[in-house]
Amino acid sequence: MGEENKTGPVTEAIQPDAEAKTPKRVPRKSSPQRKAAGENIGSGSVGSAEAKNPAAKSRKFNQQDRIEKLSGIEAQVAKGTSTLRDAIKSAGISEQTYYQWKRSTKPAELPTEAAASGDADLTDFIELETENKRLRKLLAEKLRSENSDLRRRLGLD
């Protein structure tokens, strides 16, 4: 009976401490920004905002799809059938996406003529550098000879 008294108060003392140490979960309140954005928090349907706005869906396009969309947009604008904005909207992408794709695909789509002109520019630059060195040497030699003539005339040699 003495053992029962010892275990009884010990378990009672442990139980309140255990409850005090474990934090109770408090449900978070939704921020006012979410409610203002028009999300239905209590509706239970996932993706209801995406269903309302099809442009908000996240899509992954591979490089070939991007090039096709960009060329289609450029063709519409070149024909004059629509403005750039209208062509971008008809392609189903945003303006920001269009410009990002255009910037990222630009180096990959350089025609060989542009690359050749870049090589020609580089060779022209190298030729100009060598000519510049040659002219500097000629100028330095001419200045040395003039300097030596002046020293002789002044009697400094």
Side-chain angles (χ1 to χ4, degrees):
M1 193 155 168
E3 291 178 9
E4 290 177 11
N5 290 339
K6 288 182 183 177
T7 58
V10 171
T11 55
E12 291 174 7
I14 292 173
Q15 288 176 354
D17 288 339
E19 289 177 12
K21 289 183 182 178
T22 57
K24 294 183 179 179
R25 289 193 172 203
V26 178
R28 291 187 177 185
K29 295 181 181 179
S30 62
S31 65
Q33 294 170 349
R34 279 190 176 176
K35 289 181 182 178
E39 290 186 12
N40 296 335
I41 295 172
S43 66
S45 63
V46 177
S48 60
E50 289 179 359
K52 290 180 183 177
N53 189 0
K57 289 183 180 179
S58 174
R59 296 182 185 141
K60 300 284 183 180
F61 294 101
N62 61 17
Q63 191 67 21
Q64 186 63 30
D65 292 339
R66 291 178 181 186
I67 292 171
E68 288 174 4
K69 284 196 180 274
L70 289 174
S71 61
I73 291 169
E74 290 173 3
Q76 284 181 357
V77 172
K79 288 178 185 176
T81 57
S82 64
T83 63
L84 181 61
R85 279 191 176 162
D86 294 337
I88 291 170
K89 284 182 183 179
S90 68
I93 58 173
S94 68
E95 285 185 48
Q96 185 177 11
T97 302
Y98 167 75
Y99 287 112
Q100 287 177 349
W101 286 0
K102 189 174 178 182
R103 184 184 60 206
S104 67
T105 57
K106 199 83 157 177
E109 294 182 349
L110 280 176
T112 56
E113 297 169 0
S117 69
D119 288 341
D121 290 343
L122 183 62
T123 55
D124 289 344
F125 180 72
I126 291 171
E127 288 175 7
L128 286 173
E129 285 289 323
T130 55
E131 185 180 356
N132 196 7
K133 285 181 184 178
R134 184 182 63 81
L135 290 174
R136 283 183 183 167
K137 286 181 183 178
L138 284 174
L139 182 63
E141 186 179 320
K142 186 175 181 179
L143 287 174
R144 274 190 228 117
S145 66
E146 285 181 6
N147 248 356
S148 63
D149 285 345
L150 284 174
R151 286 180 182 258
R152 263 187 261 136
R153 287 183 189 170
L154 292 173
L156 296 175
D157 274 340

